[in-house]
Amino acid sequence: MTTSPPSATATERLEALGFTLPRVGEGGKYVEHRSLGSCVYVSGQLPFKDGVLLGQGIVGRDVETEAARGLARHAVVNCLAVAAQAVGGLDRVRIVQMLVFVAGTPDLGQQSRVADAASDLLIEVLGENGRHARTAIGVAGLPLNSPVEIQMVCTAV
């Protein structure tokens, strides 16, 4: 749980959890987000930190569930960075929906547990604006052999 006072900003709450928003890079063949009306669609984000992918492999075979939960937290922080840039700051972000893709063994069954780590972070940082609809999906593989990828839809408050 966050140790920040309730009056802290979203950025301060994020920092209390040991995270800072990374710089958002330029997209190649696609954009990091697309706005349509009041909705911002954030492209899938992997668990990069300082340009390094923090893990590779299949959850339940190469990656433990607890490690995948940590990777999900990093991926969702990357989503928050894109969302904050799109709406003018982290305190203006309201999450509408999150899709969590987990590359796992066919019998894993822990996709929701992995996704819970990202959901918890959103609520700790954004409060009620972090509550969201969610889907956790098991897949055979993800880009760069990442164990986790997160996509989200948000709006500005």
Side-chain angles (χ1 to χ4, degrees), residues 14-150:
L14 183 68
E15 289 172 353
L17 294 171
F19 294 95
T20 57
L21 289 182
R23 203 173 134 263
V24 176
E26 296 293 319
K29 297 184 184 282
Y30 63 91
V31 294
E32 292 292 329
H33 73 275
R34 174 73 71 194
S35 297
L36 182 63
S38 64
C39 287
V40 176
Y41 298 83
V42 176
S43 295
Q45 300 293 312
L46 301 178
F48 278 103
K49 181 177 181 183
D50 299 326
V52 176
L53 185 62
L54 297 176
Q56 290 184 306
I58 301 297
V59 181
R61 184 184 75 202
D62 312 310
V63 178
E64 297 292 325
T65 300
E66 284 307 309
R69 288 172 50 82
L71 295 171
R73 290 170 67 88
H74 279 281
V76 84
V77 167
N78 293 336
C79 286
L80 285 175
V82 174
Q85 182 185 58
V87 302
L90 190 56
D91 284 305
R92 298 197 63 221
V93 174
R94 175 181 289 145
I95 309 303
V96 176
Q97 181 182 33
M98 181 173 66
L99 298 125
V100 179
F101 302 90
V102 179
T105 59
D107 62 342
L108 178 66
Q110 294 292 309
Q111 294 85 357
S112 287
R113 181 157 165 63
V114 172
D116 285 346
S119 292
D120 290 345
L121 185 140
L122 291 174
I123 294 165
E124 289 175 70
V125 171
L126 301 174
E128 283 302 310
N129 288 333
R131 293 198 185 279
H132 53 276
R134 185 183 89 189
T135 302
I137 304 166
V139 297
L142 290 167
L144 303 178
N145 197 27
S146 176
V148 179
E149 182 174 9
I150 298 179

